[in-house]
Amino acid sequence: MLDFFGAIGGAIMTPLYYIISVVLVGFHKVLGTFLDPEGGSAWALSIVGLTLVIRAALIPLFVKQIKSSRNMQLIQPKVKELQKKYGHDRERLAQETMALYKDSGTNPFASCLPILLQMPIFFALFRLIDQAADGKAHGVLTTQLAEDFGQAKIWGVVPISETLTGSWGDQWSVVTLAAFLVLAMTATTFLTQRQLMSKNMPADALTGPYAQQQKMLLIVLPVVFAVGGIAFPIGVLLYWTTSNLWTMGQQFYVIRNNPAPGTPAAVAKAERDKAKAAKKGHVVDGEVPGAVDVQEAPEAPRAAPRQQPKRQTRSQRKKR
């Protein structure tokens, strides 16, 4: 049975080893032209480059995640109505809720896709770095490159393959950098979730099961990363912190430029657009800035037409 699961795991991880190692080695060759190829800076920046490539490839999924999250927010009033109507019948409530999701084109699990797809890559990088420290190569990494990678030291003192727990009380430079990266990883995770809830969620979505789920993630995810991070190698912490910074910046851009309707971000964008239009002299609220309000002068009364005398016949003139 163990051999069976091992074969499945190998079938999944082997392609990831090749994908990760190709990108990693490619960046290392470029950076090695002006940095020490065996130094930690070249390998650390290669991990940053790997992170950027992976996150760029996941942009379509991020767009789908944003759309799904927005739809979830907008249909919350309808979800509450269903809860009031079918709260006594859980099976019917579930059926009607799923029908609502289908009709609105909402996938409640789409918000987890980027994280779920990154997890195999995360574990593949973890094993790649961990086993490279023992000289074991994966993918396109040669044995020599694997040894260089596993033994590379950032600033010449902090090994990429070391962990906070493995260096506690021994290598304080490793402990300091690892602790900083763990805190940065935890803080960026918290701030990303907080940014979403405070800026891009309408008032109706701040209550109910969806809001409770978001509030739970706001606490649970940073704790999970903080606890797990103490056992991650420096290289993996560098990858995850860079990934979180990418997520924060990407989400900030989307919320600022394409916020969900009825949210504080939407109000802020409307005010910015109004100020920008006023600055350029465009019409704002039906008025043109700088235009003079000219009222039409009332027309002067026309003179009454002069009445012409009636023509009289000759007999009428003689009578006079």
Side-chain angles (χ1 to χ4, degrees), residues 89-285:
D89 188 347
R90 291 185 175 274
E91 184 177 352
R92 181 67 184 278
L93 176 61
Q95 292 174 354
E96 294 294 334
T97 303
M98 293 306 297
L100 177 61
Y101 288 156
K102 185 178 180 180
D103 293 340
S104 61
T106 303
N107 183 358
F109 303 105
S111 59
C112 302
L113 282 177
I115 293 179
L116 292 177
L117 287 179
Q118 280 194 89
M119 294 312 294
I121 299 172
F122 174 81
F123 286 119
L125 180 62
F126 180 94
R127 287 178 60 83
L128 200 71
I129 295 175
D130 186 56
Q131 296 187 8
D134 299 326
K136 188 175 181 179
H138 287 287
V140 299
L141 278 175
T142 63
T143 302
Q144 183 60 49
L145 280 175
E147 291 178 354
D148 292 343
F149 184 34
Q151 297 173 7
K153 296 181 178 180
I154 301 175
W155 304 317
V157 293
V158 182
I160 284 180
S161 58
E162 275 293 349
T163 65
L164 191 152
T165 54
S167 303
W168 190 262
D170 184 22
Q171 302 181 39
W172 288 107
S173 58
V174 176
V175 171
T176 302
L177 181 57
F180 171 78
L181 290 175
V182 168
L183 290 175
M185 183 174 63
T186 304
T188 49
T189 302
F190 175 82
L191 291 175
T192 300
Q193 289 296 119
R194 181 64 179 171
Q195 181 187 52
L196 179 64
M197 293 185 64
S198 62
K199 298 292 185 182
N200 207 40
M201 289 184 68
D204 291 340
L206 293 175
T207 58
Y210 181 73
Q212 294 301 322
Q213 176 189 354
Q214 294 297 318
K215 291 176 182 178
M216 187 179 297
L217 289 176
L218 183 65
I219 299 173
V220 172
L221 283 181
V223 173
V224 169
F225 287 128
V227 173
I230 62 176
F232 295 159
I234 295 290
V236 174
L237 292 175
L238 185 61
Y239 166 85
W240 205 256
T241 302
T242 305
S243 181
N244 281 358
L245 290 172
W246 172 289
T247 301
M248 185 185 300
Q250 187 173 242
Q251 184 171 274
F252 174 81
Y253 176 83
V254 171
I255 291 176
R256 179 178 174 83
N257 294 281
N258 192 21
T263 62
V267 174
K269 184 177 186 302
E271 292 177 353
R272 290 196 305 272
D273 292 343
K274 185 177 179 180
K276 188 182 297 184
K279 187 176 182 180
K280 291 182 178 180
H282 293 169
V283 176
V284 180
D285 290 338

Side-chain angles (χ1 to χ4, degrees), residues 39-52:
S41 297
W43 285 110
L45 291 175
S46 297
I47 293 174
V48 173
L50 169 68
T51 310
L52 299 181

Side-chain angles (χ1 to χ4, degrees), residues 274-312:
K274 185 177 179 180
K276 188 182 297 184
K279 187 176 182 180
K280 291 182 178 180
H282 293 169
V283 176
V284 180
D285 290 338
E287 299 181 359
V288 179
V292 179
D293 186 13
V294 179
Q295 296 182 352
E296 293 184 0
E299 294 185 0
R302 294 182 179 180
R306 182 178 181 184
Q307 295 183 352
Q308 297 294 331
K310 295 181 179 181
R311 296 183 64 181
Q312 296 178 343

Side-chain angles (χ1 to χ4, degrees), residues 3 8 21 62 73 82 234:
D3 293 338
I8 294 178
S21 61
F62 178 79
Q73 295 170 13
L82 292 177
I234 295 290

